[in-house]
Amino acid sequence: RISSHYVTATSALVLVLLVLSVLPVVLLVLYPFKLFRKCLSKCKMDRVCITMFVEKFQGSYRDGLHGGRDMRFFSGMYCFMLFLISQYHAIPYEEKLKLSQWLYGAFIYLTFAIMVAFLKPYKKTYMNILDTLILVHGVVVCLMLSRNYFIGDETQLLVVLLMLPVLLLAMHH
């Protein structure tokens, strides 16, 4: 039998998680669209704090003012990606499911690396390149973990995991 204290605590936790994880992502994805901002102003929710919050996250993304595409919604997509990656890392590894979990992680990283590479959401070119390389690094790490799982060799894994970001940054500059 479940105590009412557990139900209350669980309800409060779900509400906090919704407010702290889902609401900001929805706000970041929809805020660049005029219709959404118009709805916020009609509901008297278009406050300065919301605008400041959104501008902090979307400041490095292209805004479409100089003839390009408006990519500010990508900040919400990026938060969603970080949520998926955090869920991937939060799943406990089971011996039978290790390969599928690593492939799931590689798929998430690869999907967003392709999106960043082709959409180029940032104002600065180096940020697009660097972000793509960091996401590709995530793919490589997941694939190396799956490979080393079958081979059973973990000595070279630490060297690769530590040195690959340094090599990527060195190639960038």
Side-chain angles (χ1 to χ4, degrees), residues 45-102:
M45 292 182 68
D46 194 22
R47 307 260 188 237
V48 174
C49 62
I50 292 176
T51 305
M52 287 174 51
F53 169 76
V54 170
E55 289 300 321
K56 267 298 191 213
F57 277 95
Q58 296 179 346
S60 62
Y61 294 94
R62 290 189 285 154
D63 54 12
L65 294 177
H66 304 293
R69 290 178 293 195
D70 188 358
M71 299 301 290
R72 292 177 294 176
F73 73 93
F74 205 79
S75 63
M77 294 294 294
Y78 210 84
C79 286
F80 180 67
M81 180 205 60
L82 292 176
F83 174 74
L84 287 177
I85 289 173
S86 68
Q87 294 305 309
Y88 157 70
H89 288 295
I91 298 170
Y93 288 109
E94 293 185 25
E95 200 61 36
K96 293 183 243 178
L97 302 175
K98 273 189 177 181
L99 180 63
S100 62
Q101 287 175 319
W102 286 321

Side-chain angles (χ1 to χ4, degrees), residues 6-161:
Y6 291 121
V7 173
T8 305
T10 304
S11 301
L13 179 65
V14 167
L15 182 64
V16 167
L17 284 175
L18 283 175
V19 169
L20 294 178
S21 62
V22 175
L23 188 62
V25 171
V26 169
L27 185 66
L28 289 171
V29 169
L30 296 178
Y31 195 80
F33 302 109
K34 288 181 182 179
L35 181 63
F36 183 72
R37 288 194 308 263
K38 187 181 277 189
C39 289
L40 281 178
S41 65
K42 292 217 185 254
C43 297
K44 299 188 187 332
M45 292 182 68
D46 194 22
R47 307 260 188 237
V48 174
C49 62
I50 292 176
T51 305
M52 287 174 51
F53 169 76
V54 170
E55 289 300 321
K56 267 298 191 213
F57 277 95
Q58 296 179 346
S60 62
Y61 294 94
R62 290 189 285 154
D63 54 12
L65 294 177
H66 304 293
R69 290 178 293 195
D70 188 358
M71 299 301 290
R72 292 177 294 176
F73 73 93
F74 205 79
S75 63
M77 294 294 294
Y78 210 84
C79 286
F80 180 67
M81 180 205 60
L82 292 176
F83 174 74
L84 287 177
I85 289 173
S86 68
Q87 294 305 309
Y88 157 70
H89 288 295
I91 298 170
Y93 288 109
E94 293 185 25
E95 200 61 36
K96 293 183 243 178
L97 302 175
K98 273 189 177 181
L99 180 63
S100 62
Q101 287 175 319
W102 286 321
L103 293 178
Y104 170 72
F107 176 75
I108 292 171
Y109 283 114
L110 184 63
T111 302
F112 279 91
I114 291 170
M115 287 174 64
V116 169
F118 286 111
L119 294 177
K120 296 180 173 88
Y122 297 106
K123 292 177 185 175
K124 309 268 186 196
T125 304
Y126 79 90
M127 291 177 73
N128 290 314
I129 294 169
L130 191 61
D131 204 22
T132 303
L133 291 176
I134 290 169
L135 292 168
V136 168
H137 176 255
V139 173
V140 170
V141 167
C142 289
L143 294 178
M144 288 297 292
L145 285 170
S146 65
R147 178 188 169 277
N148 287 348
Y149 171 69
F150 285 113
I151 294 175
D153 180 25
E154 297 182 12
T155 56
Q156 297 175 359
L157 178 64
L158 291 176
V159 175
V160 171
L161 293 179

